[in-house]
Amino acid sequence: MLEGHSIGSDARMLAAAVRSGSLSAREVIEQHLDHIARTNADLNAIVTLAAESARREAHEIDARVARGEPVGALAGVPFTVKDLIATAGVRTTAGSFALADNVPRIDAPAVARMRAEDAVLIGKTNTPEFGSSGLTYNDMFGYTVNPLSPAGTKLSPGGSSGGESAAIASGMSVLGLGTDFGGSVRWPAHCTGLYSIRPTPGRVDPDGQYPGVMHDHRVLTNTATMHGAVQTIGPMARTLEDLTLALRVLSSPRYRWIDPAAVPIGKLDIRWAAGEGTIPVDAEIRAATEAAALRTASFVRTLAPYDGTALRSANDLFTQLRACETQTDIEQYGPAEFSENIRTILAAVRPTSATEVEALWAKRAELQHRLLAEIGDVLILPVASILAPPLGETSFDVGGTTLSWSQALASSRAISILGLPSVVVPVATSESGLPIGIQIIARPWHEHHALAIAAALS
């Protein structure tokens, strides 16, 4: 794939070429900057370009290679970061005029881990204001367009990591960091034909995400909120191998890394469902999910349809807990410069007693316990109820039922609230030519199981 040009190459190939000296990091960065200059005007994926700092970092990597010094596992690999995640010296706006001139002094720990392996930050990608929508638009930067849009149409790349998915799918970057609250790295991967993972909360250090607790130039996670307890940082990539490498780089050293290639998949028990049970799912997506699940029958111990009851309650619990949020982490930045969408969210906040909130978290513990007893080792589900939607549309017909974007993400939201890791794998193409991804969900801290099944299906 390289042959003098790095666009479209995978991270492992690029890093190996840079380490060997057969390709310079500076060449890689310049080729990607040229590609961004040609591509980004149509897609609006990258909202802040880090060209000069990327060139400096690439020059330093090349100098170390020339001196025979070791370089990292991602040497010279261009990566992008969702504009919700703090990047030292590079503007981070969270898609809000309230943070239009915000330049963090300290990287989010996840960004620091990528840089420690010599990946090169090339830009920040578009997101709805404070990640508050599943469709990538904000008043400051506008819409991001899906690079897989058929000729003559414009589709959404999903959200809220839609700028990230568009950048990677179009070749502007090789790897990316997004965030996932109710599906925000999974739904965009489904819309753009990528691989992504929502890790078990805690696997990747969550600090550095806006909004959060501001302290000593850092953005700390407010674990007293649903947002702080549920949202994760997760990688996105064009190949499963790159996704696995990125997760290994990002994983906290506090938790043992298990190589997915070492998993004895013949001992795994698999369950599958064509949805979470309360919201209708497009027929092509249901069929693709079932077909992918049935393919596993030849190499796992057991495969059976999910017949439990816990999953049906999870999306509703997500909605109930979301309604209890006071949004104080957002309020600290405004309110004068907030968009209408954020003002509407703030106006909808209702007083909720601590007793009510604690009862909902108790229900969450019960549901998680029940679901883990019902799914075996791995659960296969759709990502969403719909394919990549037309740009600007906010309601969608599925089998005669009109869904909002949040309802369309019910299968992802259910997994978010129960704290399970989920890998998205593209498994099919619709009749209209759009990608269809599925979730491969594992038990907490068992990302290696989901990645192993993903590899078998890829």
Side-chain angles (χ1 to χ4, degrees), residues 85-260:
I85 302 173
T87 45
V90 180
R91 183 176 66 156
T92 303
T93 74
S96 178
F97 284 113
L99 291 169
D101 300 316
N102 176 54
V103 179
R105 297 188 191 181
I106 298 171
D107 278 329
V111 175
R113 290 187 71 83
M114 295 288 284
R115 284 177 150 164
E117 293 295 338
D118 292 315
V120 178
L121 176 66
I122 205 166
K124 302 300 291 291
T125 54
N126 203 20
T127 178
E129 188 171 13
F130 295 111
S132 59
S133 171
L135 304 169
T136 300
Y137 167 85
N138 60 64
D139 289 350
M140 183 158 53
F141 298 119
Y143 284 100
T144 294
V145 178
N146 190 328
L148 303 187
S149 300
T153 66
K154 288 186 177 181
L155 301 180
S156 172
S160 60
S161 304
E164 199 55 54
S165 67
I168 299 167
S170 63
M172 292 190 227
S173 63
V174 178
L175 294 173
L177 298 183
T179 66
D180 192 299
F181 181 51
S184 290
V185 299
R186 290 167 288 164
W187 159 235
H190 162 74
C191 289
T192 57
L194 298 180
Y195 295 83
S196 71
I197 185 166
R198 171 192 167 83
T200 306
R203 166 75 70 182
V204 177
D205 193 318
D207 286 348
Q209 300 180 68
Y210 291 86
V213 178
M214 304 305 299
H215 174 71
D216 194 25
H217 305 296
R218 289 174 167 83
V219 191
L220 305 179
T221 303
N222 186 351
T223 54
T225 66
M226 179 193 176
H227 180 268
V230 170
Q231 183 152 297
T232 66
I233 291 175
M236 307 176 76
R238 290 190 295 268
T239 71
L240 182 63
E241 294 81 4
D242 280 358
L243 184 76
T244 303
L245 173 59
L247 182 64
R248 180 169 62 80
V249 166
L250 293 166
S251 291
S252 169
R254 291 178 295 176
Y255 304 106
R256 185 166 69 100
W257 174 258
I258 298 175
D259 184 355

Side-chain angles (χ1 to χ4, degrees), residues 196-363:
S196 71
I197 185 166
R198 171 192 167 83
T200 306
R203 166 75 70 182
V204 177
D205 193 318
D207 286 348
Q209 300 180 68
Y210 291 86
V213 178
M214 304 305 299
H215 174 71
D216 194 25
H217 305 296
R218 289 174 167 83
V219 191
L220 305 179
T221 303
N222 186 351
T223 54
T225 66
M226 179 193 176
H227 180 268
V230 170
Q231 183 152 297
T232 66
I233 291 175
M236 307 176 76
R238 290 190 295 268
T239 71
L240 182 63
E241 294 81 4
D242 280 358
L243 184 76
T244 303
L245 173 59
L247 182 64
R248 180 169 62 80
V249 166
L250 293 166
S251 291
S252 169
R254 291 178 295 176
Y255 304 106
R256 185 166 69 100
W257 174 258
I258 298 175
D259 184 355
V263 173
I265 59 175
K267 297 182 179 180
L268 298 183
D269 296 316
I270 312 294
R271 301 292 178 267
W272 70 276
E276 45 71 64
T278 67
I279 300 294
V281 176
D282 172 85
E284 285 188 281
I285 296 174
R286 293 200 312 270
T289 304
E290 179 176 5
L294 293 178
R295 283 169 55 199
T296 70
S298 64
F299 53 77
V300 300
R301 181 167 63 184
T302 64
L303 171 70
Y306 170 78
D307 62 358
T309 59
L311 193 59
R312 291 183 58 86
S313 301
N315 179 53
D316 183 56
L317 177 62
F318 184 104
T319 301
Q320 290 177 294
L321 276 165
R322 184 62 167 155
C324 296
E325 291 279 70
T326 63
Q327 307 296 344
T328 53
D329 288 341
I330 289 179
E331 285 183 330
Q332 68 183 303
Y333 303 112
E337 296 174 289
F338 289 153
S339 69
E340 181 180 353
N341 180 48
I342 294 298
R343 291 197 298 271
T344 299
I345 290 171
L346 295 177
V349 171
R350 64 175 180 83
T352 308
S353 72
T355 301
E356 290 178 85
V357 175
E358 289 169 7
L360 291 173
W361 283 110
K363 183 177 180 181

Side-chain angles (χ1 to χ4, degrees), residues 181 186 198-203 229-232 314 317-318 361 364-365 367-369 371-372 375 412-422 441-447:
F181 181 51
R186 290 167 288 164
R198 171 192 167 83
T200 306
R203 166 75 70 182
V230 170
Q231 183 152 297
T232 66
L317 177 62
F318 184 104
W361 283 110
R364 186 240 192 184
L367 281 181
Q368 185 184 55
H369 183 78
L371 185 69
L372 291 176
I375 65 169
S412 284
R413 286 155 54 104
I415 298 308
S416 290
I417 196 60
L418 297 180
L420 307 184
S422 174
I441 299 146
R443 305 173 80 82
W445 310 110
H446 285 67
E447 286 86 350

